[in-house]
């Protein structure tokens, strides 16, 4: 940008003052990720080159950093160094003639101070006084020079003053430890006395005698220019840790730049809220350890203003200063997945379990580089969700960073090239001059104490518990009343509890939600229903708790916290339970617990039902008081119980009691002294348990649900199951359900999820939230205690009132019932709407509209609580933008061919093409026939091609057929989850389009395995723009608090369109819990996104789209007024072509031929494209009428004019009127300017392509030699997309265009490269090699003179061949994690792979000539893997759920394998291949074949059919039918 | 939904009728339900729809789509398939106070709206209901659902013992109120007793229900015509609330020349008399009592059909006049699912006529012009065929077709053209001039059923009865 004016909404912010809450924007929801690394000399030898190389690493990671609205304002970058004594000593002398004491005897504070000189001077003055008063000496206060013009305008506007304070002396206070400890107390004192006393802009980026940090709100490449110090030749160090930040928003954040004082963090702490609270709970119950004499100066430890990384750093620092070595604390805070691992030593497990008693994991994706001046190292989270590649050089330097190849070190100088696997650590000890690999570090700490002995002496498990206490049973009569009082319905028993008891899993539902939000419902709701589950999107991935169960942990630790300032046996005095769901026997035992350090006290959780909200509040106060008293009486386990409910005494809503008590005890500093167990009749469904655990309960005993399960057995609902088995199943389903809920947020451990509050309240007043659910987001106000009491009373009366003898209510949440919840899609609206579109009758459409939103209708959505409010004069409708233009803003939702029938899928596509709107392919690929125009001029080509996590059918040709490419990050009905198309639905025609095998199930993983972070998303967008430069890239998100800041990040990642979906959208199949309880309405999401983008100066960069149960023109208008420019419909067009909301999409039994593949049922399809056209035209006509009425002539005038709306007051619904929509309906300017530039400069390629075209047309080939480095990303993709557009994925011969590269390839080498292109890299490559490969060939091998042994070093990064459909890959050396994930056709040869290899693979071949990591072949439903299993331990590393392992025996197969290895040898000069081949007859015996069971069965059936003489589609169909029939 | 694919695997199978040959010999019920196992399998055809249209009860034009009473059909279908009849009964009786009646007489708008009917045959909801209610009476499960909770001391009078009155009485009694039902006829049941002939609804069935209600404490007073035998004031003194469920009992008349002749009767009177005789003297007393007589039934509805069946059983020759055109075999485009299917239905009486007389007794688009008599007794009916044409106002009206005049012999003409409304004398007695919902201008007087909404289905009456009961309960308890 040429002008130096800030685009960002700044208004005099100082360097760390993000705008506080404003509309829906909340600074708390900022996310960041980045590139990072460290470089160190093994012997701690300081040198200029270490610093220089550190800065180069930063520069080479620029593409991982973020750019805001301004090209030259970065999100932050910085460098942490082991104290650069030489430079400091020299400069102090030079500038001020001050002689520093020797290294280690002085500390340097790097201070950010106010820009305002007066304040700056005053604060310095105050600082000096405190320093002196505490007995230190201020040697020098140096103003750090900087280069003003080398920062962007937004950064400059809020820049701090930089000072280095040089301090020495001992201090005059009593603290055990060295200078570093004393300096810590000094810093904390300064912070408390100055920073927390109202001077937010007083900050120390480092304050230590060992390290120094330079950082700022800069681009990675600016840091060197900005701080001239760094360019000084005398600036030498032995360790540099560097970090380049990609933040999701663009607000001033000099202090949020990293590194922090010890770490550089690439990742996100998902469980931050819980970790903070638990930390506070624990610090309040200990004496401060080494700081006990100055406890008040250092506690609380956590800086509230900090980001997750800073808070992590705070805690880490404190725990280290207590005497634990830095690596040990990291292992405690980010433990690997130890509980289920098979080859971790017992000692190591004991260490981890001991540590778990002290602290729950800080869960979430994390790659952390760290240094305290002596150690340098890095650690990766248990899921391995951030790349970390390291190398060791001949001259004893160790370099680790987010990408390989960040320094141009010759391969011949490199002796080792590796990567961190999940949960791994490497450590350099510059004092000892040694580097330790993962197990070396860990075993060391495991041996330091006899943790096993400590555990066996103090830790309790169920077996150690006393005899059970006799539980007071619930009478039959109380049972009958209780289930009504606690909100059970016939529906919940039949469709939730029964399936869980029967099948041990949660039932599936389809077609989303269309009932009123809890706060609008006139039926009494359980409090749980007001809490919506949050989920990961973009900035961190959801995880697959099912196929990657190995990383999950469900254990909980109960009892008083130990003293975390020291390692002592007593710290493990806790009760360890395997899950948070208690069976009755264990619960009864816990009740009897009263022995050394353990004491259980039961507290009644009841209140007087007649007295309403006041009684409820009083009862809660009393409960808190009782709990405090119990703690003072020695209780370590508080049981809250509503077992004694009576006609007059109702249970306090359990969530309210639990959340309230949790926060009450935190506030009182007592939370660390006891844990909470719940004994309640209320919780019954997964979401109930998830919220309870999420708000701090340790374990739940749901006595009434158990009784209900037994009742289901008695009533014969669950077949022949015994009660024991049914109860077991039910508990299992709940635990699995909770794990699934937390995995949506990317959380692996229940222990971390506990108290993490991963929820947003919808329709709960701030006063209730602040007191009982402190820190939870609630944005539109809502119910107060009196409403909660009222709802409780209404339910209680059902159980105990005059009509208590009536049979249980039906419910009607998912199924329409006459007397159940209101449904927007009900018999009447469906019928009238269908008639309207069939008969092309706008009159009938109006009737339908009236039923939905007329005077008589009930409020279901947030928008139903809004009404128009304008004084503008109406305009004549003839002046309003025509229907034909309005419909161009309409899109249909992503529904895959596979989830719906061909008839349905093409009807919708044809209709939208006729309207010039956009239909969406969904994630199932699309038949290439559809890319061409039909004879009658219609086109069934979906304008939007979706890319989802399964990547089914995603090839270069598919991408090049798109007008818009949509990356589905989350889906409204089940955000944070993947999908599973069961084998019986993979008909031959579906399999063809998806590049898979008929009859074999297909799994879509919860995350995209190439989007673990915001910078990954930016990379995928870059890939796609290369593959098809003319398509808009659309990123689909789901509404939740913070979606606006995520969207800002997505905009910075250069997406063109951002879709914010509502939670209520339909789906073919989703667990009930997700459908109902995950995600939020689009009204909130759209408004927040519009507001946030606008504040960030990013609104003009992107188009904002929304969808989610849009049913009328009014819905569209409200979407527009809140900021959306395009609108999606999915359920509506389905209903237009015949859907009657059967909600059986998952069963393949759709009786109207819409959501089925059954040929029989497809015959029943009666839809026509015209119906969809009519439907959308009616909507547009409705839109026009409203526009005319409101006085607007075009849609674009409306966008973002939220003040045209106001909140409606409704009759007879006090609860609904307690909402406050003012944060949604804020005044935001409409869009001023729209600039859309798909891949700039793409036309420049024309000459180049002309040459290629000439070659191809004349059947010639070409070979090109070039260097390559890590900044060359998506190599080959642009060319591949261009070729596929003209010739298809397989139109030209192999090796027509051959590139020979030398060096380290950047990310996405060969992504979406079709047949004809060969990429040959001499060197190595980063992540995502061969992503989406669709015919091309890729070879990666180190050069001959590499100084390391290729087969034991890493040659390609993580997630190679993701979603690839055909082609070949040969890599000499090891591949990273998730090799061949979701491969469906590529033949690949490598020499070793990391964890989760061949995960979700559905086709193709993987040949692995070396070791494989954990969880190999998880979710693998097709394809074959051949592993050279020299150690004969393959099975231990496999996830055996779907596969079998055998030898390779059939001749034909043996020959094919040999041919592949031959090729590998030829292409890569592999010595491994050579050795194998030279003794082939022996070698072949060591090969194991990994084959999915289903896949094998299907291949056998196909083979059988072939032998019977069938061919082609008929052969497949016969085989498919037989396969499905045998199931 | 017992089974997700049940609707594809099993064909609809309906109950059997006794052969016309046999059934014409008596007035016994002629429906022979499937055996239990077969009926249970029929329940597996239910798809347990996300939006069960069968229970929706929406009015489109004049007809209802789906059950007006919101019967929880998918719930009990599932339970039938499980073989869990007891619970199926509970879920059925939660909404339907008289399922043994509706499972015999209801035209089943639920089946018309059944999703299976879009492209196939609907679930046999009607006979599934029958299975459950048969089971319930066999096993004595009926009473427990009506056991009253503690008495409130409030007293309610119900005027009229038809389905609305019985439904309300059941519910109010269960809620602890003391209920007295007044019936002007000599037996309880209203339309159920005398409006519907025995072969369709055995009077034992009605009696069984009434007996259970008596056991549960409901008091029935028959032969007591409120407004004539007892006045409003008397009721007012005795009761805390009064519910009027007198039905829509004024038959629509046909005022053409000759209407005064003997032998031109309202069907309802004829059927009442018939049932009374049957109950008193048995089948034999009716057999052949109309042998050789010609009967003209005017009106093509269910009552007309009942008249055909009844007179055939007494030996008559029957024709049935219908002013509307013959309905199509299949739904027309303007009558799509889930609206009530307007298709030709050949009911038991007509089947029997075909059996005996060779031809369908129905004559469509025919208008009666004049009754001709001899000695004050009807002998024939002059008719003309008509066609439906739009008049000047755009409304369809019948227009006679010249040259189609025809005279039919008639010894008995039965008028069954529906009912026009409630008895005026009752309304006058209670001074009911308006109502809003179930409440009237008099706060303690409520009104429900056909008396309130006009002629409709039994299932509507049941719905109104129970809904009115809730309002009365609210009224009574608020007053306390």
């Amino acid at each position: 940008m040429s002008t130096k004016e800030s685009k960002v909404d700044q208004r005099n912010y100082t360097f760390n003052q993000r705008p506080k809450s404003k509309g829906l924007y909340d600074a708390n929801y900022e996310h960041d990720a980045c590139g990072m690394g460290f470089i160190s000399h093994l012997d701690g030898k300081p040198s200029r080159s270490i610093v220089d190389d550190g800065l180069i690493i930063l520069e080479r990671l620029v593409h991982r950093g973020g750019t805001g609205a301004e090209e030259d304002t970065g999100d932050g970058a910085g460098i942490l160094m082991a104290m650069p004594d030489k430079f400091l000593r020299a400069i102090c002398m030079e500038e001020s003639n001050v002689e520093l004491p020797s290294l280690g005897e002085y500390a340097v504070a790097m201070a950010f101070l106010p820009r305002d000189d007066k304040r700056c001077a005053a604060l310095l003055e105050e600082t000096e006084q405190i320093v002196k008063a505490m007995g230190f000496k201020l040697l020098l206060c140096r103003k750090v020079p900087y280069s003003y013009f080398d920062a962007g305008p937004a950064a400059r506007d809020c820049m701090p003053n930089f000072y280095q304070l040089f301090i020495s002396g001992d201090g005059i206070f009593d603290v055990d430890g060295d200078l570093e400890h004393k300096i810590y107390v000094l810093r904390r004192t300064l912070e408390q006395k100055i920073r927390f006393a109202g001077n937010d802009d007083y900050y120390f980026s480092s304050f230590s005698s060992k390290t120094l940090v330079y950082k700022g709100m800069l681009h990675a490449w600016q840091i060197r220019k900005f701080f001239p110090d760094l360019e000084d030749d005398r600036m030498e160090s032995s360790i540099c840790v560097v970090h380049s930040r990609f933040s999701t928003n663009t607000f001033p954040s000099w202090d949020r730049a990293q590194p922090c004082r010890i770490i550089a963090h690439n990742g996100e702490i998902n469980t931050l809220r819980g970790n903070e609270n638990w930390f506070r709970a624990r610090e309040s119950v200990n004496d401060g350890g080494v700081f006990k004499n100055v406890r008040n100066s250092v506690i609380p430890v956590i800086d509230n203003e900090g980001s997750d990384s800073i808070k992590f750093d705070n805690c880490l620092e404190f725990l280290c200063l207590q005497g634990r070595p830095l690596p040990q604390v990291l292992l405690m805070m980010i433990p690997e997945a130890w509980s289920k691992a098979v080859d971790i030593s017992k000692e190591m497990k004991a260490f981890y379990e001991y540590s778990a008693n002290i602290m729950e994991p800080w869960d979430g994706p994390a790659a952390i580089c760290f240094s305290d001046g002596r150690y340098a190292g890095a650690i990766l989270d248990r899921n391995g969700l951030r790349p970390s590649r390291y190398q060791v050089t001949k001259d004893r330097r160790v370099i680790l960073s987010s990408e390989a190849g960040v320094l141009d070190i010759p391969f011949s100088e490199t002796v080792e090239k590796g990567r961190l696997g999940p949960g791994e650590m490497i450590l350099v000890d510059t004092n000892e001059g040694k580097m330790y690999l993962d197990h070396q570090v860990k075993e060391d700490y495991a041996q330091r104490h006899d943790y096993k002995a400590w555990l066996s002496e103090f830790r309790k498990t169920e077996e150690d518990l006393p005899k059970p206490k006799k539980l007071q049973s619930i009478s039959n009569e109380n049972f009958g009343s209780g289930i009504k009082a606690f909100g059970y319905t016939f529906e919940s028993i039949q469709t939730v509890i029964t399936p869980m008891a029967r099948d041990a899993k949660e039932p599936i539902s389809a077609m989303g939600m269309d009932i009123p939000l809890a706060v609008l419902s006139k039926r009494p709701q359980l409090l749980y229903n007001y809490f919506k589950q949050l989920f990961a999107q973009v900035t961190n991935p959801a995880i697959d708790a099912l196929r990657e169960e190995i990383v999950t942990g469900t254990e909980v630790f109960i009892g008083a916290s130990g003293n975390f300032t020291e390692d002592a046996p007593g710290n493990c005095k806790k009760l360890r339970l395997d899950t948070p769901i208690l069976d009755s026997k264990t619960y009864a035992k816990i009740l009897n617990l009263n022995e050394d350090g353990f004491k259980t006290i039961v507290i009644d959780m009841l209140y007087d039902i007649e007295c309403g909200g006041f009684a409820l509040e009083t009862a809660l106060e009393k409960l808190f008081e009782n709990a405090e008293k119990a703690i003072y009486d020695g209780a370590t386990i508080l049981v809250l119980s509503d077992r004694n409910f009576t006609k007059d005494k109702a249970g306090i809503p359990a969530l309210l009691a639990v959340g309230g008590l949790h926060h009450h005890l935190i506030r009182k500093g007592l939370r660390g002294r006891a844990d909470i167990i719940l004994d309640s009749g209320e919780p019954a469904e997964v979401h109930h348990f998830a919220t309870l655990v999420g708000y701090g309960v340790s374990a739940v005993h749901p006595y009434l649900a158990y009784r209900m399960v037994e009742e289901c057995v008695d009533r014969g609902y669950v077949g022949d199951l015994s009660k024991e088995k049914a109860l077991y199943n039910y508990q299992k389903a709940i635990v699995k359900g909770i794990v699934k809920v937390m995995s949506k947020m990317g959380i692996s451990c229940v222990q971390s999820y506990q108290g993490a509050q991963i929820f947003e309240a919808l329709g709960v007043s701030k006063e209730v939230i602040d007191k009982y659910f402190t820190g939870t987001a609630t944005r539109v106000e809502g119910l107060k205690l009196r409403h909660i009491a009222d709802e409780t009373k209404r339910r209680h009366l059902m159980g105990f009132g005059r009509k208590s003898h009536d049979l249980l209510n039906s419910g009607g949440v998912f199924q329409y019932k006459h007397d159940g919840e209101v449904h927007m899609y009900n018999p009447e609206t469906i019928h009238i709407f269908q008639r309207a579109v069939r008969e092309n009758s706008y009159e009938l459409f109006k009737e339908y509209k009236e039923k939905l939103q007329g005077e008589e209708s009930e409020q279901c959505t947030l928008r139903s609580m809004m009404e128009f409010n304008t004084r503008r004069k109406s305009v004549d409708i003839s002046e309003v933008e025509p229907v034909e233009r309005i419909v161009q803003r309409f899109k249909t939702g992503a529904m895959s061919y596979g989830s719906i029938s061909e008839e349905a899928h093409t009807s919708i596509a044809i209709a939208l093409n006729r309207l010039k709107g956009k239909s969406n392919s969904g994630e199932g690929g699309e038949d290439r026939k559809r890319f061409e125009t039909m004879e009658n001029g219609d086109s069934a080509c979906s304008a939007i091609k979706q890319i989802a996590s399964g990547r089914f059918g995603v090839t270069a040709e598919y991408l090049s057929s798109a007008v818009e490419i949509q990356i589905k990050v989350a889906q409204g009905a089940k955000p944070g989850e993947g999908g599973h198309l069961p084998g019986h639905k993979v008909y031959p025609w579906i399999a063809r389009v998806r590049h898979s095998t008929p009859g074999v199930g297909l799994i879509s993983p919860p995350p995209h395995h190439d989007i673990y972070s915001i910078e990954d998303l930016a990379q995928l967008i870059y890939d796609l723009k290369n593959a098809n430069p003319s398509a808009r890239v659309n990123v689909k998100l789901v509404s939740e608090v913070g979606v606006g800041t995520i969207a800002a990040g997505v905009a910075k990642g250069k997406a063109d369109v951002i879709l914010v979906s509502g939670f209520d959208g339909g789906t073919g199949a989703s667990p009930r819990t997700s459908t109902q309880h995950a995600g939020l309405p689009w009204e909130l999401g759209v408004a927040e996104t519009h507001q946030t983008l606008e504040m960030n100066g990013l609104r003009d960069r992107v188009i904002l789209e929304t969808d989610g149960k849009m049913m009328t023109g009014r819905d569209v208008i409200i979407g527009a007024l809140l900021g959306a420019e395009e609108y999606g419909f999915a359920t509506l067009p389905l209903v237009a072509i015949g859907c009657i909301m059967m909600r059986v999409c998952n069963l393949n039994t759709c009786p109207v031929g819409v959501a089925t593949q059954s040929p029989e049922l497809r015959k029943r399809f009666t839809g026509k494209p015209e119906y969809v056209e009519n439907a959308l035209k009616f909507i547009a006509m409705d839109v026009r009428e409203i526009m005319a009425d409101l006085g607007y002539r075009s849609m674009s005038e409306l966008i973002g004019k939220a003040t045209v709306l106001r909140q409606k007051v409704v009759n007879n619904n006090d609860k609904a009127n307690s909402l406050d929509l003012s944060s949604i309906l804020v005044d935001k300017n409409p869009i001023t300017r729209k600039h859309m530039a798909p891949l700039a400069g793409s036309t420049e390629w024309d000459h180049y392509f002309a040459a290629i075209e000439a070659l191809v047309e004349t059947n010639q080939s070409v070979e090109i030699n070039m260097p390559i480095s890590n900044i060359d990303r998506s190599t080959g993709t642009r060319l591949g997309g261009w070729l596929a557009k003209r010739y298809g994925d397989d139109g030209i011969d192999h090796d027509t265009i051959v590139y020979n590269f030398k060096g380290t390839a950047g990310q996405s080498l060969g992504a979406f490269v079709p047949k004809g292109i060969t990429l040959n890299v001499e060197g190595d490559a980063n992540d995502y090699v061969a992503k989406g490969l669709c015919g091309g060939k890729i070879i990666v091998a180190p050069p001959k003179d590499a100084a390391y042994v290729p087969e034991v070093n890493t040659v390609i990064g993580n997630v190679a061949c993701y979603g690839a459909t055909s082609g070949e890959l040969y890599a000499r050396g090891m591949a990273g994690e998730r090799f061949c994930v979701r491969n469906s056709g590529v033949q690949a040869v490598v020499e070793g792979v990391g964890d989760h290899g061949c995960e979700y693979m559905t086709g193709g071949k993987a040949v692995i000539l070396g070791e494989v990591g954990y969880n190999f072949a998880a979710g693998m439903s097709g394809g074959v893997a051949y592993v050279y299993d020299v150690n004969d331990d393959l099975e231990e590393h496999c996830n055996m759920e779907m596969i079998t392992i055998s030898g390779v025996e059939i001749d034909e197969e043996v020959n094919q394998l040999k041919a592949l290895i031959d090729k590998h040898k030829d292409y890569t000069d592999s010595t491994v291949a050579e050795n194998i081949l030279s003794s082939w007859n022996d070698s072949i015996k060591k090969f194991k074949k990994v084959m999915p069971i289903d896949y094998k069965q299907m291949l056998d059936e196909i083979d059988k059919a072939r032998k019977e003489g069938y061919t082609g589609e008929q052969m497949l169909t016969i085989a498919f039918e037989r396969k499905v029939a045998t199931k | 939904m017992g089974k997700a694919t049940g609707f594809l695997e099993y064909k609809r199978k309906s109950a059997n009728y006794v052969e016309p040959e046999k059934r014409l010999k008596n007035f016994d019920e002629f429906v022979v339900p499937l055996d239990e196992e077969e009926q249970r399998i029929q329940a597996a055809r239910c798809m347990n729809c996300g939006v069960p249209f069968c229970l929706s009860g929406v009015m489109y034009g004049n007809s209802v789509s789906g059950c007006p009473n919101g019967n929880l059909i998918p719930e009990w279908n599932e339970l039938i398939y499980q073989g869990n009849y007891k619970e199926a009964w509970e879920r059925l009786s939660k909404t339907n106070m008289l399922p043994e009646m509706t499972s015999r007489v209801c035209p089943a708008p639920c089946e018309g709206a059944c999703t299976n009917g879009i492209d196939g045959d609907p679930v046999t909801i009607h006979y599934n209901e029958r299975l459950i209610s048969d089971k319930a009476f066999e096993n004595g499960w009926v009473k427990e659902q009506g056991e009253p909770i503690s008495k409130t001391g409030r007293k309610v009078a119900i005027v009229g013992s038809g389905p609305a009155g019985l439904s309300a009485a059941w519910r109010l009694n269960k809620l602890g109120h003391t209920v007295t039902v007044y019936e002007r006829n000599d037996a309880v049941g209203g339309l159920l007793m005398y409006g519907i002939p025995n072969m369709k609804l055995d009077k034992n069935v009605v009696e069984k229900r009434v007996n259970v209600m008596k056991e549960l404490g409901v008091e029935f007073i028959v032969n007591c015509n409120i407004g004539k035998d007892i006045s409003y004031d008397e009721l007012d003194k005795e009761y805390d609330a009064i519910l009027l469920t007198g039905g829509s009992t004024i038959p629509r008349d046909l005022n053409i020349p000759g209407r005064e002749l003997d032998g031109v009767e309202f069907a309802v009177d004829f059927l009442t008399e018939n049932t009374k005789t049957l109950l008193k003297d048995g089948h034999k007393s009716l057999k052949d009592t109309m042998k050789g007589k010609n009967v003209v039934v005017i009106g093509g509805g269910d009552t007309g059909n009942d008249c055909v069946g009844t007179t055939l059983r007494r030996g008559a020759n029957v024709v049935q006049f219908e002013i509307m055109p013959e309905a199509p075999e299949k739904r027309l485009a303007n009558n799509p699912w889930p609206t009530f299917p307007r298709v030709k239905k050949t009911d038991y009486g007509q089947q029997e006529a075909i059996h005996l007389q060779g031809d369908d007794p129905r004559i469509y688009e025919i208008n009666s012009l004049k009754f001709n008599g001899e000695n004050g007794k009807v002998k024939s009916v002059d008719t003309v065929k008509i066609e439906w044409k739009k008049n000047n106002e755009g409304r369809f009206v019948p227009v006679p077709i010249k040259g189609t005049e025809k005279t039919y012999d008639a010894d008995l003409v039965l008028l069954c053209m529906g009912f026009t409304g409630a008895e005026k004398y009752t309304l006058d007695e209670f001074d009911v001039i308006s109502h809003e919902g179930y409440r009237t201008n008099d706060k303690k007087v409520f009104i429900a059923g056909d008396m309130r909404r006009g002629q409709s289905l039994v299932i509507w009456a049941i719905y109104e009865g129970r809904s009115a009961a809730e309002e009365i309960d609210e009224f009574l308890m608020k007053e306390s």
Side-chain angles (χ1 to χ4, degrees), chain A residues 59 124 140 218 307 442 533 632 661 731 954 1017 1051 1082 1179 1290 1300 1353 1384 1482 1489:
Chain A
E59 288 151 14
L124 273 175
L140 173 67
L218 300 164
S307 64
K442 291 175 180 169
Q533 297 162 14
Y632 289 121
L661 179 58
Q731 283 169 33
V954 179
L1017 176 74
W1082 58 253
I1179 300 269
D1290 48 7
N1300 298 313
N1353 284 280
S1384 61
D1482 287 337
K1489 174 181 168 185

Side-chain angles (χ1 to χ4, degrees), chain A residues 717 802-803 806 815 817, chain B residues 48 75 87 171 470 473:
Chain A
Y717 289 173
R802 288 182 54 247
K803 297 182 184 175
D806 284 356
Q815 187 177 38
K817 291 283 165 71
Chain B
N48 198 17
E75 291 184 7
E87 208 181 345
R171 180 63 181 154
E470 299 297 338
D473 179 61

Side-chain angles (χ1 to χ4, degrees), chain A residues 305-361:
Chain A
E305 291 292 306
S307 64
D308 58 345
S309 308
I310 288 169
K311 287 173 178 170
F312 182 96
D313 197 78
N314 292 154
C315 297
L316 175 68
E317 179 185 39
F318 179 79
L319 292 171
C320 289
L321 289 170
Q322 292 297 343
R324 289 188 184 86
L326 171 57
Q328 186 195 335
V329 180
L330 283 161
L331 292 177
M332 183 161 89
M333 294 176 81
I334 312 178
E336 65 185 307
W338 55 272
S339 65
K340 296 191 177 87
V342 285
D343 63 353
I344 293 181
S345 71
K346 288 198 175 95
E347 290 73 23
M348 198 65 224
K349 279 198 179 183
F351 164 77
Y352 280 129
E353 185 171 347
Y354 163 78
S355 303
N357 281 296
I358 298 177
M359 182 173 279
E360 70 297 330

Side-chain angles (χ1 to χ4, degrees), chain A residues 510-514 813-815 823 1141-1146, chain B residues 50:
Chain A
M511 295 308 288
M513 296 307 290
D514 61 345
V813 172
F814 280 86
Q815 187 177 38
H823 283 257
M1141 298 292 282
M1142 287 294 292
R1143 297 180 187 265
V1144 291
C1145 317
N1146 50 317

Side-chain angles (χ1 to χ4, degrees), chain A residues 235-253:
Chain A
M235 182 63 90
E236 292 182 354
S237 183
S238 55
I239 300 171
C240 283
V241 173
V242 295
H243 188 276
S244 159
R245 181 169 188 251
F246 189 142
S247 161
T248 49
N249 63 25
T250 60
F251 293 116
S253 49

